[in-house]
Amino acid sequence: MVSVVYKSDADTRLDSGVAELLKVQVRGEVILPDDSRYDAARAIWNGMIDKRPSAIVVAADEADVQTVVRFAAQQGLTLSVKGGGHNVAGHAVSEGGITIDLSSLRDVQVDPERRTARVQGGALWADVDEATATHGLATTGGVISSTGVGGLTLGGGIGWLMGRHGMSIDNLLSARVVTADGAVVTASETSHPDLFWAIRGGGGNFGIVTEFEFTLHPVGEVLAGFFAYPVSEAREVFEYYRQFTEDAPEELGCYARISTDPESGMRVVAVAVFWPGDIDEGQRVIQPLRDFKTPLVEMVGPMPYGEWQKAFDAEFPHGRRYYWKSTMVKRLSGNLLDAIVRNAADVELPLTIAVIEWYRGPMNLVPNEATAFASREAEYQIVGIGAWDEPSDDEAGIAWTRKLHRDMQPYSLNRAFLNFDSSDTTDRSATIAAAYGQNWSRLVEIKNRYDPENLFSENNNISPSGA
């Protein structure tokens, strides 16, 4: 029997006097459990998450964020931050505490001369891509455009531009952070550098980021798409994928996966490609994939970068039930590829996906100790994406994802990418500590400096005690 605690039946109502006090202190909306808008306001991307905050505050500005941080500390309430609400573990919603909803703070200001963008904490990557594309610019974001900028960046930031421009945190110039005492500080290489180090991979443990400043890069039309083959050829395709990515230019984005074709209902193996440079050069780079064997489907061609960023949105809709586990890998061994095929080729739940993501380039050149993110040597990530629509499938979906993840561990770095990792009821602290490796003790030290009472605990938590 498997289980995950995502729901509580506890009474989460604030005392009426306390609730009224909160309402008069903020400019934004305060949504309480008896409000008709409450259920919609607490719903997030992962439909498995059914948490009930005492109050949801839709912040109108940075001052509201400061006020709510102070209020939660004074009242002894836990605090969560909802940007895009995409975190698979459901950290965006607080059970019984206060949820700060940043969805009204989505402004993106682009400076095309300096090639920078200032992005408010509630923005989605679609907001950034749209604003920067006007100037032929972009920065490394996610692979689903409705993902929030805040959660993705603070966890490290994986995206299609990594091979050319590094992770999202490698493009972060500064951040405005509301700390646990309600103050606002600017974190950068020259201002609060310890905090700047920690938020680049350390998640929301140290404060609430109300504005990010990113470096932008020229990005025009890209070459992108995928090749799909029968799942019976999965092991052969994976073996070629391993050989191909060992020698391919690092600028190329290249993922492989086993999933279900939505039109035919067939289980297929696919290789997705992304080239951010000259289109003709990109065609030459991916030609070996065309020569490898004839696919069932080839859909590869030039397109705007923003279009490719939205290519997988429909596959991962809001409200579907998700359970993900991931592990970082240095090399793809034959035994690992065998295990993926064995677990993913024939499945009970057709929406489940096993993905191999390839990382090489600027990400690997940054030392592990340079930022909080501590898996710089990883060149692949294996992600088990449990996905289904019916609550009755929860047990089967969770069990499938956990088994795939368990079977990957002998061939991995034994580190999760925490943004892709659903919370478990046991041994969570050990998983988090292992993900940060040699950076753990420094993160605990900085946590004690900026949040000694662990106000910001609704996340992949770094406890001030280090436990």
Side-chain angles (χ1 to χ4, degrees):
M1 182 75 173
V2 294
S3 63
V4 178
V5 178
Y6 281 144
K7 181 176 181 178
S8 171
D9 295 321
D11 186 350
T12 57
R13 290 172 295 184
L14 286 178
D15 176 87
S16 60
V18 174
E20 288 304 315
L21 181 62
L22 176 60
K23 286 182 178 180
V24 300
Q25 289 186 27
V26 298
R27 292 182 58 243
E29 295 179 291
V30 177
I31 301 174
L32 302 175
D34 59 356
D35 193 306
S36 61
R37 302 168 295 173
Y38 178 75
D39 283 338
R42 69 186 180 91
I44 56 174
W45 174 72
N46 186 353
M48 286 188 72
I49 309 301
D50 191 18
K51 297 180 183 178
R52 300 183 63 84
S54 295
I56 300 166
V57 180
V58 184
D61 50 28
E62 185 179 75
D64 272 359
V65 177
Q66 293 178 271
T67 297
V68 175
V69 166
R70 294 188 185 110
F71 182 88
Q74 292 164 0
Q75 298 295 326
L77 295 166
T78 58
L79 190 63
S80 68
V81 184
K82 180 182 178 183
H86 248 271
N87 179 264
V88 69
H91 294 313
V93 188
S94 172
E95 178 63 50
I98 296 179
T99 291
I100 299 182
D101 185 334
L102 301 181
S103 60
S104 294
L105 306 178
R106 291 173 59 174
D107 188 48
V108 180
Q109 295 292 326
V110 177
D111 184 335
E113 298 300 319
R114 293 182 59 236
R115 292 183 179 173
T116 60
R118 291 189 175 275
V119 181
Q120 285 191 305
L124 308 180
W125 280 106
D127 301 322
V128 178
D129 294 337
E130 181 178 350
T132 57
T134 303
H135 307 281
L137 301 169
T139 197
T140 304
V143 298
I144 303 173
S145 72
S146 58
T147 305
V149 171
L152 184 138
T153 300
L154 296 175
I158 301 295
W160 290 109
L161 288 169
M162 278 175 52
R164 177 161 286 188
H165 301 301
M167 303 175 74
S168 299
I169 55 174
D170 300 330
N171 292 278
L172 186 63
L173 297 173
S174 68
R176 286 178 63 85
V177 184
V178 177
T179 55
D181 58 0
V184 178
V185 302
T186 296
S188 70
E189 292 285 6
T190 56
S191 173
H192 297 273
D194 55 343
L195 180 60
F196 188 57
W197 178 88
I199 65 172
R200 287 179 290 167
N205 277 283
F206 310 96
I208 300 174
V209 178
T210 57
E211 183 183 83
F212 298 86
E213 182 186 17
F214 293 102
T215 293
L216 303 178
H217 310 277
V219 177
E221 198 171 47
V222 302
L223 179 67
F226 65 90
F227 303 86
Y229 310 85
V231 75
S232 59
E233 300 175 0
R235 186 60 180 84
E236 182 184 2
V237 171
F238 279 174
E239 182 60 37
Y240 186 79
Y241 172 82
R242 171 170 64 172
Q243 298 170 16
F244 177 72
T245 54
E246 285 178 354
D247 299 319
E250 62 189 27
E251 294 91 344
L252 180 71
C254 193
Y255 291 4
R257 55 182 257 180
I258 297 177
S259 60
T260 300
D261 174 64
E263 294 185 4
S264 67
M266 292 173 51
R267 204 71 173 157
V268 297
V269 58
V271 177
V273 294
F274 169 85
W275 180 258
D278 178 78
I279 300 299
D280 289 339
E281 182 182 2
Q283 297 284 15
R284 289 191 292 273
V285 168
I286 69 169
Q287 188 60 42
L289 285 169
R290 290 197 170 104
D291 297 339
F292 160 56
K293 68 185 311 169
T294 302
L296 288 172
V297 177
E298 176 188 335
M299 296 182 66
V300 179
M303 65 184 73
Y305 169 71
E307 181 179 330
W308 181 242
Q309 283 289 86
K310 296 179 179 180
F312 297 95
D313 287 7
E315 188 176 17
F316 298 98
H318 278 253
R320 179 162 287 167
R321 303 175 80 80
Y322 298 101
Y323 186 86
W324 292 26
K325 302 294 283 182
S326 82
T327 194
M328 308 298 280
V329 175
K330 178 66 175 174
R331 293 284 183 266
L332 296 179
S333 70
N335 287 337
L336 183 149
L337 297 178
D338 288 340
I340 297 173
V341 174
R342 185 172 62 248
N343 280 278
D346 185 16
V347 295
E348 178 182 349
L349 302 177
L351 296 176
T352 54
I353 304 171
V355 183
I356 308 173
E357 300 186 349
W358 176 53
Y359 311 139
R360 192 176 297 154
M363 165 186 167
N364 307 123
L365 300 178
V366 178
N368 270 342
E369 65 273 14
T371 65
F373 184 82
S375 293
R376 296 286 187 167
E377 72 272 35
E379 294 191 12
Y380 299 90
Q381 179 176 199
I382 315 301
V383 189
I385 299 177
W388 56 93
D389 291 321
E390 298 300 327
S392 59
D393 288 327
D394 286 356
E395 183 171 339
I398 293 168
W400 177 85
T401 311
R402 286 180 174 174
K403 183 179 185 303
L404 174 65
H405 179 257
R406 186 169 60 249
D407 288 354
M408 297 301 101
Q409 296 316 294
Y411 319 109
S412 76
L413 296 172
N414 286 310
R415 288 186 217 142
F417 177 52
L418 294 175
N419 272 8
F420 287 180
D421 201 65
S422 292
S423 295
D424 287 315
T425 54
T426 59
D427 210 24
R428 184 63 183 168
S429 59
T431 298
I432 296 169
Y436 290 117
Q438 66 192 49
N439 292 335
W440 177 250
S441 59
R442 184 178 177 187
L443 283 163
V444 172
E445 176 188 340
I446 296 171
K447 177 73 170 182
N448 275 282
R449 196 176 313 150
Y450 285 92
D451 184 20
E453 301 301 319
N454 206 15
L455 177 65
F456 304 116
S457 62
E458 296 278 352
N459 44 46
N460 290 300
N461 193 230
I462 299 166
S463 169
S465 69

